[in-house]
Amino acid sequence: MRNILHGIITSALFLAVSAMNAQSIQFDKDFAVAEENSGQVSFLIKISSAPATDVSVNLVAGGFATAVNGTDFVFESETVVFPAGSSQSQVITVQILDNAIDEADKLFTFELQNPVGATLGSKKQFVVFISDNELDSPEASSELGIEYVSSYLVDSDGSAEIVAYNKPQKRLYVMNSTSSVVEILDFSDPRNIVSINSIDLTVYGPSATSVACNNAIVAATVDGAEGEPGSVVFMNKNGVVLSVVQVGYLPDMLVFTPDNQKVLVANEGEPSQGYVTDPEGTISVIDISAGVDDLTQSDVITIDFHAFDDQIDELRAQGIRIFGLNSSVSQDLEPEYITVSEDSNTAWVTLQENNAVAVVDLNSNSVSNILPLGTKDHSLIENSLDVSDRNDSIHFATWDHLKGMFMPDAIASYEVDGITYLITANEGDQREYGVINEDNTVRSSSYVLDPATFPNATWLKLNWVLGRLAVSPYSGDTDGDGDFDEIHCFGARSFSIWNGSTGELVFDSGNDFETITATDPVFGGLFNASNNNNTFKNRSDNKGPEPEGVTVANIADNTYAFVTLERTGGFVAYNVTNPFAPVFESYNNSRDLGSAAGGDLGPEGIIYIPSSDSPSDTGLVVIANEISATLSVYNVSGDVKKKGNGGKKSGEYADADLILYPNPAGNEMVYFSKPVSFRLYDSMGKFITDAKNRAYFDVTSLNPGVYMLVTYSGETVRLVVE
């Protein structure tokens, strides 16, 4: 009987203890965001159910913070008590301190420890992000008066990746890679582009990749069948094939030299899946000095990297990424894009996956040097970046030991005082070939951070901190002990200017692209969206806006660079006349707003047509948009064609066609047919307001009447408010 009674008492005590510990305590969410000038931030600690007796938990500062307690916020550890019989969550309020300093966004963390009378739930860690309210974004000079003109659908079932211009015939040649055709378009009226012909290149290979034009001649690259070299197809202005020559493996881009004596081809030589084969990367030089009607293989020279095969260790030590499966230097280097010096004696070729640029001597037809590009230090405030798609606000933070690999796609060049400077669009690109696969993130269990360098690794691996950032598992282990001492992410989210002779970095746009797009009055809501969705911050964890294409133009004795942003859309313009101190000119985009992606998506190739060559009175920017398969055309009113009577004054827009709708308008939003910068005046000429790069305007604050909307480029449109 005594044993039975003892058992009953023991069971009762066990049940009582179990009931007492049935409650769990945790944060109600994973993070909170506070503006620096908000004064405070509040969050909740919740309990799963009302306890029978008081329970408590310690709230302590976490093991990781970039904000400083006492300088950026005020907090002292405390014990949080949940009274008996109450399941009410406890509100925690922390003071946030403001300052007038332009600095990176910061964070601090909390942990729940030592619960008494309860257990801890799954949300035991909490992050507070502080957004700096002095965000410094470059202000657009808007000197060029760039405005969207039109969009043209090349092929609803195809793509538009590269575009070239024929001045005498006023034609565009567009590479439709999806369909492997070159589209020939009448561009005599940029507002009414008309198809002339489509040249099917599938007879020459399974996939066409690029197109170039020097007015009289059109040339296109075509991949060979698997394991076979590719070709270049030469055509006349009407697309009639004149000759075909064989080049290297996977030709990806081609360019005419400025003297029109040669065509250069970047043969990427990518490996097959699983590295069954890894063709050599090469540069083909095609001599067209005698014309292209009777070209033979004797007119083609292929430049290889054999001279560097025995320097593999030295190249790796310089930071050049050579890591293919059992690949030699010649096999591992992958030429991507080419630019040529004004005197046609030197070419520079991006080796994107290798994070380097090859220098090619076109007199000796040899590679004279390989320039390592190094990494970008994201611990510096000017290189702050937004790294997660899992927190709901933009967080331009700096991160110790995080390095961006420049890995440029397109490259352009220009000359200043006898020195050639290179401009690179620092896209980034990872290899994914099965046995060699860079598809990795910081949070991956296989990505082990050095505990001495990263004592805060557990925090960094959270999805809403650094955990989802795409990184390479093939670099960053600086001491060779199997863990990562530096975190290497893909691309630099910027454009850079380099000395073409020394390889010295003379300028990088830092975090400009992200701060410009984040603060844009029209497209800020699409910050780091991808090119196939309008999801806010969708690409923050992987290369951000992703600069892709670049071209340079001389306008009114100044040199400008135009850089496309493949994911966010549109292009960014800079005055780069002084390569050491470029000036932001404007950001221009023509994708649709709203919940669904539309308009011009996935800009890749970009060209500038100066007013002297243009079918209109002004210079034109033309972009090939891969995802939407469209061309987008922008007018540059700061580049005006000179005429006998002096032509139009700079700032006047040719063929004005801005449309407002609805017009007349009531108590509603008025939309524009294109984004414009404008000033608004009433019927008496009184200035009302102004705005830059806007595609809509809220008229609810206006009194009924007639207004004049005057764009920065000189268009005047009557707006009636009822």
Side-chain angles (χ1 to χ4, degrees):
M1 184 68 178
R2 181 179 297 174
N3 289 338
I4 294 174
L5 182 61
H6 176 74
I8 293 172
I9 294 172
T10 301
S11 298
L13 287 172
F14 175 79
L15 291 173
V17 171
S18 298
M20 180 182 69
N21 289 327
Q23 290 78 25
S24 65
I25 300 173
Q26 64 179 4
F27 294 106
D28 74 319
K29 54 186 178 180
D30 297 305
F31 60 86
V33 179
E35 294 292 331
E36 184 186 48
N37 60 353
S38 63
Q40 64 183 35
V41 62
S42 297
F43 51 91
L44 301 178
I45 301 176
K46 65 180 184 178
I47 190 167
S48 59
S49 60
T53 60
D54 289 358
V55 300
S56 64
V57 68
N58 291 339
L59 176 65
V60 301
F64 175 46
T66 56
V68 178
N69 196 353
T71 300
D72 301 302
F73 68 100
V74 177
F75 172 74
E76 294 183 6
S77 297
E78 62 179 285
T79 299
V80 180
V81 177
F82 292 86
S86 173
S87 60
Q88 184 174 354
S89 296
Q90 301 297 304
V91 180
I92 307 298
T93 300
V94 179
Q95 184 181 4
I96 303 296
L97 303 178
D98 194 6
N99 60 43
I101 302 172
D102 176 23
E103 55 191 348
D105 295 339
K106 298 180 180 180
L107 63 83
F108 58 99
T109 57
F110 295 105
E111 288 183 279
L112 297 177
Q113 295 180 357
N114 304 320
V116 176
T119 59
L120 293 180
S122 59
K123 296 183 185 298
K124 296 176 286 190
Q125 298 174 313
F126 190 80
V127 181
V128 176
F129 296 98
I130 303 178
S131 297
D132 184 69
N133 62 326
E134 289 90 19
L135 174 63
D136 183 21
S137 177
E139 184 176 349
S141 67
S142 300
E143 294 177 350
L144 291 180
I146 299 174
E147 291 186 328
Y148 178 58
V149 172
S150 63
S151 180
Y152 174 79
L153 179 62
V154 174
D155 179 358
S156 59
D157 297 319
S159 64
E161 295 187 33
I162 305 297
V163 58
Y165 178 63
N166 176 322
K167 172 186 174 181
Q169 278 72 42
K170 303 294 187 290
R171 291 180 177 181
L172 294 177
Y173 298 87
V174 183
M175 177 50 67
N176 180 347
S177 295
T178 302
S179 302
S180 288
V181 301
V182 172
E183 311 282 358
I184 305 178
L185 306 175
D186 180 355
F187 194 58
S188 57
D189 180 0
R191 301 176 189 280
N192 185 30
I193 302 171
V194 178
S195 176
I196 296 175
N197 200 1
S198 297
I199 310 304
D200 186 353
L201 299 178
T202 55
V203 67
Y204 304 104
S207 177
T209 55
S210 190
V211 65
C213 176
N214 78 338
N215 294 332
I217 305 168
V218 181
T221 49
V222 183
D223 285 347
E226 186 173 355
E228 297 295 326
S231 303
V232 172
V233 180
F234 288 92
M235 298 167 277
N236 68 11
K237 63 185 180 183
N238 298 317
V240 176
V241 174
L242 304 174
S243 58
V244 181
V245 293
Q246 192 176 86
V247 289
Y249 292 89
L250 294 171
D252 197 44
M253 181 269 177
L254 77 168
V255 63
F256 288 83
T257 56
D259 62 8
N260 283 322
Q261 299 298 295
K262 301 173 182 176
V263 170
L264 309 182
V265 186
N267 305 305
E268 194 165 9
E270 290 181 346
S272 63
Q273 194 67 22
Y275 272 79
V276 176
T277 61
D278 187 3
E280 293 183 356
T282 58
I283 301 100
S284 293
V285 180
I286 306 170
D287 185 351
I288 61 169
S289 58
V292 300
D293 290 356
D294 299 308
L295 286 176
T296 66
Q297 283 305 121
S298 64
D299 296 306
V300 182
I301 295 174
T302 296
I303 300 172
D304 57 42
F305 292 91
H306 292 170
F308 297 89
D309 280 340
D310 61 357
Q311 300 178 34
I312 188 168
D313 292 334
E314 294 88 337
L315 295 175
R316 285 172 172 164
Q318 293 171 24
I320 297 174
R321 305 177 77 233
I322 302 172
F323 60 99
L325 183 65
N326 301 318
S327 298
S328 65
V329 172
S330 300
Q331 292 172 307
D332 201 73
L333 297 182
E334 297 184 15
E336 184 81 24
Y337 211 96
I338 304 172
T339 188
V340 187
S341 61
E342 294 179 9
D343 62 10
S344 299
N345 289 328
T346 308
W348 291 266
V349 185
T350 56
L351 308 172
Q352 185 172 23
E353 289 79 2
N354 312 102
N355 197 30
V357 171
V359 184
V360 179
D361 184 334
L362 294 177
N363 294 311
S364 63
N365 288 321
S366 63
V367 179
S368 60
N369 201 1
I370 301 176
L371 305 173
L373 299 182
T375 56
K376 179 171 179 172
D377 187 354
H378 288 299
S379 71
L380 304 177
I381 184 173
E382 62 268 25
N383 296 335
S384 62
L385 71 171
D386 187 77
V387 295
S388 177
D389 62 342
R390 293 299 174 88
N391 50 37
D392 52 9
S393 68
I394 299 171
H395 188 65
F396 288 125
T398 56
W399 304 91
D400 290 340
H401 312 293
L402 174 62
K403 304 294 179 70
M405 299 178 288
F406 289 95
M407 304 179 75
D409 187 332
I411 184 172
S413 58
Y414 67 113
E415 191 172 302
V416 179
D417 297 330
I419 299 175
T420 298
Y421 291 92
L422 313 175
I423 300 181
T424 57
N426 303 319
E427 179 193 22
D429 194 19
Q430 57 259 53
R431 286 176 169 167
E432 297 181 39
Y433 299 108
V435 291
I436 298 293
N437 192 338
E438 293 189 272
D439 184 16
N440 210 332
T441 60
V442 172
R443 69 173 178 173
S444 171
S445 59
S446 64
Y447 195 81
V448 180
L449 296 172
D450 181 85
T453 305
F454 299 101
N456 51 10
T458 301
W459 291 97
L460 292 177
K461 283 177 172 284
L462 295 175
N463 284 342
W464 44 95
V465 183
L466 204 62
R468 285 180 56 79
L469 182 66
V471 294
S472 174
Y474 291 94
S475 61
D477 179 7
T478 59
D479 57 12
D481 65 351
D483 57 29
F484 293 94
D485 312 281
E486 294 180 346
I487 300 172
H488 287 184
C489 58
F490 302 102
R493 309 189 184 194
S494 63
F495 82 96
S496 299
I497 302 180
W498 315 78
N499 183 306
S501 298
T502 65
E504 175 192 5
L505 176 65
V506 301
F507 174 81
D508 182 78
S509 62
N511 62 5
D512 280 9
F513 289 175
E514 283 192 291
T515 60
I516 288 167
T517 54
T519 57
D520 186 83
V522 177
F523 297 99
L526 298 182
F527 172 76
N528 281 355
S530 194
N531 51 23
N532 59 2
N533 65 66
N534 280 5
T535 305
F536 183 65
K537 283 166 57 76
N538 181 251
R539 296 290 295 180
S540 286
D541 60 332
N542 193 348
K543 298 183 280 188
E546 212 161 315
E548 169 93 4
V550 61
T551 191
V552 295
N554 186 273
I555 303 172
D557 298 323
N558 285 277
T559 302
Y560 290 86
F562 304 100
V563 184
T564 59
L565 303 182
E566 181 182 6
R567 297 290 177 172
T568 307
F571 69 100
V572 183
Y574 275 74
N575 185 325
V576 296
T577 305
N578 180 351
F580 296 88
V583 177
F584 171 51
E585 206 286 328
S586 61
Y587 170 57
N588 311 271
N589 201 343
S590 53
R591 71 183 290 170
D592 290 347
L593 304 174
S595 59
D600 297 313
L601 302 169
E604 186 150 332
I606 182 170
I607 60 173
Y608 185 74
I609 303 173
S611 60
S612 57
D613 298 342
S614 173
S616 66
D617 289 337
T618 65
L620 297 170
V621 173
V622 183
I623 299 174
N625 301 283
E626 179 182 8
I627 301 301
S628 58
T630 58
L631 298 180
S632 45
V633 182
Y634 293 82
N635 178 82
V636 181
S637 59
D639 180 6
V640 183
K641 186 175 295 182
K642 294 181 180 180
K643 300 180 180 180
N645 61 359
K648 295 186 178 182
K649 295 179 181 178
S650 178
E652 290 185 344
Y653 184 77
D655 303 320
D657 68 342
L658 175 62
I659 299 172
L660 312 183
Y661 54 95
N663 190 13
N667 190 28
E668 57 194 320
M669 193 78 72
V670 172
Y671 295 90
F672 306 158
S673 59
K674 59 183 177 180
V676 294
S677 299
F678 67 89
R679 297 179 179 90
L680 187 70
Y681 302 88
D682 66 14
S683 59
M684 302 301 293
K686 180 183 176 181
F687 172 76
I688 304 299
T689 188
D690 65 351
K692 291 184 177 180
N693 296 321
R694 294 288 293 274
Y696 58 89
F697 179 62
D698 187 350
V699 301
T700 56
S701 62
L702 297 180
N703 294 323
V706 178
Y707 297 84
M708 294 298 171
L709 188 149
V710 182
T711 70
Y712 281 23
S713 59
E715 290 183 74
T716 299
V717 180
R718 187 170 178 263
L719 169 63
V720 178
V721 178
E722 296 179 334

